[in-house]
Amino acid sequence: MAKSSCRSQHEIETCRLCPRLIAYREKVAREKVRRFRDQEYWGRPVPSLGGLEARLLVVGLAPAAHGGNRTGRIFTGDRSGDWLYRALHRFGFANQPQSIDRNDGLKLIDCYITAAIHCAPPDNKPAPEEFDHCRPYLLEELERLKKVRAVVPLGMIGFKTYFRARKELGWRNPPRLPVFSHGGVTLLEDGTGVVSSYHPSQQNTQTGKLTEAMFDDVFRKARRVIEST
């Protein structure tokens, strides 16, 4: 599927605000890993994916060094993406369960995927100022995604990122930030349902902290939220 039509996507792809992230993403793209040594890495900020008419919004953390930073598409080419697109496909939010590269025919259906950070960070740990630099892109996306009814933040960082962005936009949040819990559903005053999920990182999936049944339950709830509004 083509990347998002949001005009900020070009700005994301050409962003050079974070020297640490620039150095890391480009170093990874030059050096590669053995299993991908014959591939040309993207090595740039990874844009969001989906159409602005979407009713489901997924908020991730950041591209993987040898996933999105290699393929140029969010959650593509790594195990986390395998989990995410299988679940999206099962609940009608993607046309296929595989996400291999930008030319594999994947199309999102009524779904938009973004991230707190659009560059692969060292050790998967963005610095505070890097979140600050990326947040304006998310703010613009939220303002233009006018039909979103369900939001699935992946992990605590995605959860906090979404609620902080709402606050900065002047949107009404609960008086106290809801407690993050996997599968927890928070219905907001504007009718949006936030369905929290553990991130499908290998740390979570390989240890059994997150199972496919648990992950499916999140998108089942998201589908129900959408269909009930």
Side-chain angles (χ1 to χ4, degrees):
M1 178 178 180
K3 60 181 176 288
S4 163
S5 58
C6 185
R7 64 182 173 85
S8 68
Q9 299 309 308
H10 175 70
E11 297 174 16
I12 290 174
E13 290 182 31
T14 58
C15 181
R16 299 188 66 83
L17 289 176
C18 302
R20 189 181 76 112
L21 297 186
I22 293 169
Y24 180 70
R25 78 192 189 209
E26 294 180 356
K27 178 175 184 290
V28 169
R30 286 193 308 271
E31 298 180 354
K32 309 180 181 181
V33 289
R34 180 175 298 179
R35 66 186 182 278
F36 299 130
R37 65 181 180 274
D38 61 339
Q39 297 186 19
E40 182 177 351
Y41 275 54
W42 175 259
R44 305 194 296 277
V46 179
S48 303
L49 182 68
L52 296 175
E53 300 296 306
R55 292 182 295 169
L56 172 65
L57 171 64
V58 178
V59 183
L61 169 56
H66 302 287
N69 189 57
R70 172 175 59 88
T71 65
R73 191 172 71 192
I74 197 166
F75 278 106
T76 296
D78 59 47
R79 298 291 177 83
S80 295
D82 293 344
W83 276 63
L84 177 60
Y85 289 110
R86 282 199 301 267
L88 290 175
H89 178 255
R90 279 194 284 267
F91 292 94
F93 296 113
N95 71 322
Q96 64 186 41
Q98 301 87 15
S99 178
I100 302 168
D101 58 47
R102 297 195 306 281
N103 301 309
D104 60 13
L106 174 73
K107 294 181 180 179
L108 295 182
I109 302 168
D110 206 15
C111 176
Y112 190 97
I113 305 174
T114 189
I117 297 287
H118 287 273
C119 291
D123 300 319
N124 209 31
K125 294 180 180 179
E129 63 272 17
E130 292 161 356
F131 283 107
D132 293 341
H133 288 159
C134 249
R135 192 172 301 110
Y137 300 128
L138 177 60
L139 298 180
E140 181 186 336
E141 289 174 322
L142 292 180
E143 288 186 308
R144 301 189 72 188
L145 288 161
K146 298 184 182 301
K147 295 189 176 181
V148 167
R149 305 311 324 141
V151 178
V152 175
L154 300 176
M156 177 64 83
I157 291 177
F159 183 80
K160 289 184 175 180
T161 293
Y162 175 68
F163 278 102
R164 177 167 180 174
R166 286 181 58 93
K167 182 178 180 181
E168 291 195 19
L169 288 171
W171 297 358
R172 188 180 295 276
N173 278 337
R176 297 179 62 184
L177 185 69
V179 175
F180 174 83
S181 64
H182 180 83
V185 179
T186 302
L187 297 178
L188 304 178
E189 287 188 14
D190 60 11
T192 304
V194 180
V195 187
S196 306
S197 175
Y198 292 143
H199 193 286
S201 64
Q202 289 191 63
Q203 180 180 358
N204 287 337
T205 59
Q206 291 183 350
T207 60
K209 181 176 182 178
L210 179 65
T211 65
E212 292 219 37
M214 292 168 63
F215 207 41
D216 281 355
D217 187 54
V218 166
F219 290 97
R220 183 179 295 109
K221 289 177 179 177
R223 173 62 73 186
R224 288 173 181 167
V225 169
I226 289 171
E227 300 301 333
S228 68
T229 58

